[in-house]
Amino acid sequence: MSFNHTHRCCCLLLAAGLATPALAQVPGFETRDGWPLILGPGPSVDGGMMVNMDADPELEMVHVVQDQLHALNLDGTNVPGFPRLLTAGHGTFGAPAFGDVDGDGEDEIVVQTFFFGIRGNVFAINKDGSTVPGFPVSVGGPFKSPALADLDGDGDLEILVNANSGGVAQLSALEGDGTQRAGFPVVLDDISSGASPAVGDINGDGQPEIVVSSFYTVYAFDADGNTLAGFPYTPADGGTIQTLNYNSAGLADLDGDGAREIVFATTNEVDPFTGRVYVLDFAGNLRPGWPTTTEFSIFTPPSIADIDGDGNLDIAIGDRTLTPAPLANIQVWDRDGVPLPGWPVTGVVGAVHAQIMVADVDGDGAVELLVDDNTAVTPLYGFNHDGTPISGWPLPVGTASSFQQSPTIGDFDGDGFLDLSVSGNDQINNQTYLFQLASDSIVYDSALAPVRTYQYNVRRDGVADVLEAAPCRVDIDGDGELTIFDFLAFQNEFDAGDLAADFDGDGELTIFDFLTFQNEFDAGCE
């Protein structure tokens, strides 16, 4: 087997006789009424997102299944205007993004479709299911999720897309009316890697930079499309050619110097198809201790979080193999490339094709890792920070597979407790199973959920800073804005006697909790 200029489809190893989904159960969680749902025809990839689509304080589930965009309430009913057709006959290979792209003060859903990687469309969809004027836009053949970022400081977000166009990769930056931002598109040196762009301030100048890759090369641009000094960077370890195949980068300040490093994975182009993880600074210099090597190819973004609780960021990733035997390796290194105690974990999963989620899902005050698998009926696996299995896990996804599915983690109903949104692919019956699990005993702490959706947040920008990704606590409905609905959600918690409303931390619910909430609300979220 060899890798060439063709994207390799990661084939699910199938079994016959799959039935309808059963309830998904692990300790501390119950399946919500109205779930699971079966959607299709078609699969989903990289999971969905939980965002606020309407006037109530609860979040809604947005998920793409093949060419259909779904938005679902917590009771399993459709949000008005959904589902809606995207491009008939086209697929999706990435999660949707969410943010205000047209400057109207309301967030939009941004999603891209593709047809065999040679053509596709970028959609911007309003909360009522209507299409934003100027969309859809054809930019070539996109694969993974778009990334959203405010490149020009005007308050609305631009849409960053890595796509194949005319046989080469190009980076597009779309304005809210569908036109290209000045300086874009930027043409790269080879076909697209199929990876999402990452967008964040990597050099400490207060302005966002864009990191994106072709099949062989990593680029870094400023907000106007100019190449940063030290880039492009072509990874080659020991003289071997490295490919970037769906390897979206993550951005994080690993050393505390105020500038973010660039973390990405590669695979040898020739046998042995080992994987590598690289860490670069903003000038394209390789950080000491990197790259590290994995036994098999890597097809996922890294997950960057403080996994061992020492106050420093670590890097987790899984590799893959084409065998159904459980041969994959789940790796966790510290910021210097040293394996953490208990890692790697081998002999459990056949292959890892989704970004690993990191959150405290058992209420023990430490984070756990949630990992997919590629065989036909496979659950979502869970590991403690030291590599041991979570008690009572793995989590079944009906009679389907967790293959290429990243769950979403948060407090979706505003009750202060942890919720999980999980999906599974049934490729025998060509459909997707969606689950909503709620806890009434595991408190949700956003600082203990540093990797809670694909590419860290619903903008899919790849920025892994825990404090930046976490919403402030007065944003109770989690929509990124402070509105009357946050006050109503707080009022409901207070009236119900829920200590989540104990904002002054004295163990009692009094008028002083209202005053503390009001002061933080007035100060706003940083």
Side-chain angles (χ1 to χ4, degrees):
M1 182 180 71
S2 64
F3 287 85
N4 55 31
H5 283 66
T6 302
H7 290 282
R8 300 303 185 191
C9 295
C10 306
C11 297
L12 184 65
L13 299 164
L14 301 173
L18 301 188
T20 56
L23 297 181
Q25 292 296 137
V26 287
F29 292 91
E30 291 187 358
T31 301
R32 289 188 187 276
D33 291 341
W35 302 84
L37 300 179
I38 304 176
L39 303 180
S44 66
V45 176
D46 290 331
M49 60 183 176
M50 298 300 300
V51 295
N52 199 318
M53 293 285 292
D54 53 27
D56 65 44
E58 296 180 341
L59 303 185
E60 285 71 45
M61 182 179 190
V62 175
H63 208 102
V64 183
V65 176
Q66 193 66 21
D67 56 8
Q68 296 281 332
L69 175 63
H70 295 265
L72 300 154
N73 296 302
L74 284 185
D75 62 3
T77 59
N78 290 313
V79 173
F82 295 89
R84 62 149 294 168
L85 179 68
L86 298 173
T87 306
H90 284 203
T92 55
F93 208 67
F98 194 67
D100 183 7
V101 299
D102 60 3
D104 65 352
E106 293 287 341
D107 292 328
E108 290 80 37
I109 302 166
V110 180
V111 63
Q112 54 199 44
T113 65
F114 78 101
F115 182 76
F116 290 105
I118 57 175
R119 63 178 184 272
N121 293 308
V122 178
F123 286 83
I125 308 293
N126 293 307
K127 293 179 180 179
D128 63 1
S130 62
T131 302
V132 174
F135 291 87
V137 176
S138 176
V139 294
F143 279 85
K144 287 296 185 181
S145 302
L148 309 183
D150 185 0
L151 297 180
D152 52 15
D154 65 355
D156 57 84
L157 305 176
E158 282 68 50
I159 303 168
L160 285 305
V161 179
N162 181 12
N164 282 317
S165 179
V168 296
Q170 71 174 22
L171 170 67
S172 291
L174 302 177
E175 303 282 4
D177 60 0
T179 59
Q180 291 274 4
R181 172 172 164 79
F184 294 87
V186 178
V187 177
L188 309 184
D189 68 338
D190 204 274
I191 67 166
S192 170
S193 63
S196 298
V199 192
D201 181 7
I202 62 173
N203 58 12
D205 66 353
Q207 303 298 317
E209 285 79 41
I210 307 161
V211 177
V212 68
S213 58
S214 70
F215 202 63
Y216 294 110
T217 306
V218 176
Y219 291 82
F221 301 103
D222 66 18
D224 296 319
N226 302 305
T227 302
L228 297 190
F231 290 89
Y233 178 90
T234 301
D237 186 43
T240 58
I241 298 174
Q242 302 293 303
T243 63
L244 296 107
N245 210 356
Y246 310 133
N247 301 128
S248 305
L251 309 178
D253 184 2
L254 296 178
D255 54 14
D257 66 353
R260 295 188 179 97
E261 280 71 46
I262 302 166
V263 185
F264 64 93
T266 67
T267 295
N268 275 1
E269 187 175 47
V270 296
D271 192 17
F273 302 107
T274 54
R276 286 174 173 78
V277 176
Y278 289 77
V279 178
L280 304 179
D281 67 17
F282 66 87
N285 300 306
L286 191 63
R287 180 176 166 85
W290 302 91
T292 56
T293 302
T294 61
E295 185 177 5
F296 300 109
S297 307
I298 301 174
F299 283 82
T300 70
S303 294
I304 309 168
D306 180 7
I307 291 172
D308 59 2
D310 68 351
N312 297 313
L313 293 176
D314 309 300
I315 299 171
I317 207 162
D319 64 14
R320 53 89 72 183
T321 169
L322 290 177
T323 171
L327 297 179
N329 303 280
I330 306 163
Q331 303 267 10
V332 183
W333 302 277
D334 68 15
R335 61 183 181 176
D336 298 315
V338 178
L340 295 190
W343 304 94
V345 169
T346 60
V348 180
V349 302
V352 180
H353 288 278
Q355 186 175 22
I356 295 171
M357 296 294 104
V358 182
D360 179 9
V361 297
D362 60 6
D364 66 352
V367 298
E368 289 78 44
L369 280 66
L370 306 186
V371 183
D372 79 316
D373 194 2
N374 77 317
T375 45
V377 181
T378 47
L380 184 69
Y381 287 90
F383 301 93
N384 294 305
H385 68 281
D386 60 0
T388 58
I390 305 174
S391 178
W393 284 65
L395 170 66
V397 288
T399 51
S401 173
S402 62
F403 174 68
Q404 290 188 320
Q405 304 300 299
S406 293
T408 294
I409 301 158
D411 177 11
F412 307 148
D413 54 9
D415 66 354
F417 295 104
L418 189 69
D419 301 311
L420 298 176
S421 173
V422 183
S423 54
N425 278 336
D426 171 2
Q427 292 206 356
I428 288 290
N429 298 300
N430 194 32
Q431 56 196 14
T432 296
Y433 301 159
L434 301 182
F435 299 86
Q436 285 282 347
L437 288 85
S439 175
D440 61 4
S441 60
I442 302 172
V443 174
Y444 175 64
D445 182 349
S446 59
L448 289 175
V451 189
R452 53 183 175 267
T453 192
Y454 177 76
Q455 282 294 77
Y456 304 97
N457 53 66
V458 297
R459 292 186 180 184
R460 315 298 186 191
D461 61 17
V463 174
D465 300 333
V466 174
L467 294 179
E468 181 173 285
C472 66
R473 64 175 185 163
V474 290
D475 180 21
I476 296 178
D477 62 7
D479 66 352
E481 301 176 357
L482 299 185
T483 67
I484 186 62
F485 298 111
D486 297 299
F487 180 82
L488 294 175
F490 169 78
Q491 178 77 56
N492 289 338
E493 290 177 351
F494 188 92
D495 291 344
D498 188 342
L499 286 179
D502 179 22
F503 266 61
D504 64 0
D506 65 354
E508 300 178 355
L509 298 182
T510 67
I511 186 63
F512 296 107
D513 296 303
F514 275 90
L515 296 175
T516 303
F517 176 87
Q518 184 69 58
N519 288 338
E520 293 188 19
F521 187 96
D522 291 343
C525 292
E526 295 183 359

